[in-house]
Amino acid sequence: MIVDRQGRSFRNLRVSLTAACNYACTYCVPDGKRLVAAQDELSAEALVRAVAYLIEAAGIERLRITGGEPLVSPRLEPFLQGVRDLGLVEIGITTNGQLLARKLPILIDAGLHRLNVSLDTLDAGRFREIARGGDLRTVLDGLQQARAAGLKIKLNMVPMRGQNLDQVLPMLEYSLEQGFELRFIELMRMGHLARDASAFQQRFVGIAELLELIGRHHAYVQADAPLDATALRYEIPGRGFFGVIANESVPFCRTCSRLRLSSTGWLHGCLSSTNRHYIGDLLDKSRDEALPALQQRLLRALADKQEVAFSGGATIMKIIGG
Ligand code: SAM
């Protein structure tokens, strides 16, 4: 295992299966254009080999499949089938849920237990304004079917002033009723928001304001979370849990154990760094040849991590897997 001076190592891997997405969320892409898959995206087999090598070289325990939108990729099924027998403690997927109902059999067949679905509003008009693609009803239907199939579901919501702040309480109520754990993600200074400080400041809603808003309607207490968890967890006794990922207000860089792999074979050790390390050239090599070189690149990726606080990054989230 590779460990830095602060005792950090890579244990959680996020693989962006594709940069393509059927949405163009306002906070993710600036111009409303949906991103298409890069020409040089790796095959499912190469990505599976990358995961296998990273498990050995870095000690990865948990895998999250993301994107872009992972459910639009034809590589989803072979990738899931390939990684299911690698001995990972957990495999999860982050999706916008638009294709959830259609792809559910593939997820269940691969033995997937957990699902994070991004949903920023329960208002159909607002949904179209923020996502600039897709349809709210289809997502809600997919969620019902996934729940009926026994999947454990978390919802991700990015609260933004002037866009969906009034949706915080309806989203919380809906999640509590459905048995989903809602996680509020503080808006991050990524991509175009890293360059436009005033657009970011206008929309940003921090954890203090969020908890104050929730506290006016619900009595909540802080709940336990694993040491390297990114979310602060809260319980509304008798009703359920919610979480806040407070990248800006309560940075978790000191305990960050995340590594990201793009669909084109680049490792990213830190969201706040533009450094990246190519590993596509190692994937047709034997294990003995690939692992020493991979370890060198992992050391460099680990050195990219911020010491204390997240400071934003120029890369678009969907390229490196949000
Ligand atoms: N398409 C999938 C989805 O929608 O969940 C996976 C990729 S998406 C980039 C992953 C997550 O990143 C989503 O929950 C999205 O809300 C979040 N995200 C993207 N840009 C963000 C930003 N600037 N600040 C906070 N969260 C962001």
Side-chain angles (χ1 to χ4, degrees):
M1 193 194 285
I2 290 160
V3 185
D4 74 0
R5 277 185 296 133
Q6 301 202 49
R8 296 178 296 192
S9 57
F10 290 128
R11 288 204 301 281
N12 297 312
L13 174 65
R14 299 194 151 212
V15 172
S16 174
L17 206 53
T18 178
C21 189
N22 42 3
Y23 287 9
C25 297
T26 51
Y27 49 83
C28 192
V29 290
D31 50 13
K33 287 199 194 109
R34 291 180 221 163
L35 287 191
V36 292
Q39 296 283 324
D40 47 353
E41 290 194 333
L42 299 179
S43 67
E45 295 68 30
L47 284 169
V48 171
R49 204 162 319 119
V51 176
Y53 284 173
L54 287 167
I55 290 173
E56 268 203 77
I60 296 295
E61 295 166 350
R62 292 183 162 76
L63 170 67
R64 177 154 294 280
I65 303 161
T66 174
E69 172 48 41
L71 300 196
V72 304
S73 172
R75 278 161 294 159
L76 177 67
E77 189 168 11
F79 181 72
L80 274 171
Q81 293 297 339
V83 292
R84 63 181 292 181
D85 298 324
L86 295 179
L88 288 155
V89 174
E90 190 181 291
I91 301 175
I93 191 160
T94 301
T95 170
N96 61 33
Q98 196 57 227
L99 297 175
L100 187 51
R102 233 191 286 171
K103 301 285 176 167
L104 206 51
I106 292 178
L107 305 184
I108 291 167
D109 191 43
L112 202 90
H113 303 298
R114 291 168 179 278
L115 206 58
N116 284 33
V117 178
S118 304
L119 183 62
D120 294 315
T121 174
L122 291 170
D123 177 280
R126 213 81 64 74
F127 179 94
R128 277 193 298 278
E129 280 166 27
I130 297 173
R132 298 187 287 199
D135 164 65
L136 175 65
R137 190 72 256 160
T138 312
V139 177
L140 297 180
D141 288 348
L143 280 167
Q144 289 312 312
Q145 291 186 36
R147 188 176 74 138
L151 290 183
K152 252 182 114 143
I153 297 169
K154 286 188 178 140
L155 295 184
N156 291 346
M157 171 184 183
V158 182
M160 290 167 288
R161 198 178 318 286
Q163 301 216 306
N164 64 349
L165 197 50
D166 62 342
Q167 291 292 299
V168 165
L169 293 170
M171 281 287 297
L172 184 58
E173 198 53 47
Y174 166 74
S175 307
L176 292 168
E177 270 168 19
Q178 301 292 322
F180 303 148
E181 189 165 322
L182 177 60
R183 307 213 301 184
F184 299 101
I185 306 178
E186 280 186 356
L187 185 64
M188 288 189 262
R189 283 170 285 165
M190 294 297 297
H192 62 298
L193 292 177
R195 296 187 297 274
D196 188 347
S198 81
F200 172 77
Q201 284 306 337
Q202 249 169 27
R203 287 181 210 158
F204 178 75
V205 178
I207 184 171
E209 182 177 348
L210 202 56
L211 290 179
E212 202 269 324
L213 174 61
I214 293 170
R216 276 190 246 147
H217 300 267
H218 299 275
Y220 63 81
V221 290
Q222 185 138 13
D224 286 341
L227 192 65
D228 65 349
T230 49
L232 296 161
R233 276 184 95 223
Y234 301 89
E235 182 175 10
I236 300 175
R239 305 247 13 232
F241 292 84
F242 68 95
V244 185
I245 303 183
N247 314 280
E248 296 280 337
S249 310
V250 192
F252 41 81
C253 301
R254 282 185 196 282
T255 55
C256 177
S257 59
R258 286 189 184 177
L259 174 66
R260 289 178 162 82
L261 176 66
S262 78
S263 54
T264 48
W266 294 87
L267 286 180
H268 295 256
C270 177
L271 275 184
S272 280
S273 169
T274 47
N275 290 353
R276 54 186 197 156
H277 310 275
Y278 188 63
I279 62 163
D281 58 325
L282 302 179
L283 303 178
D284 55 3
K285 296 198 183 333
S286 71
R287 176 192 168 280
D288 289 350
E289 231 183 314
L291 288 197
L294 184 56
Q295 283 192 321
Q296 290 311 311
R297 292 174 212 186
L298 281 165
L299 275 171
R300 294 206 290 276
L302 191 58
D304 294 336
K305 281 200 182 298
Q306 295 287 300
E307 290 286 310
V308 185
F310 175 77
S311 58
T315 323
I316 299 177
M317 284 288 263
K318 59 166 80 178
I319 303 285
I320 55 176

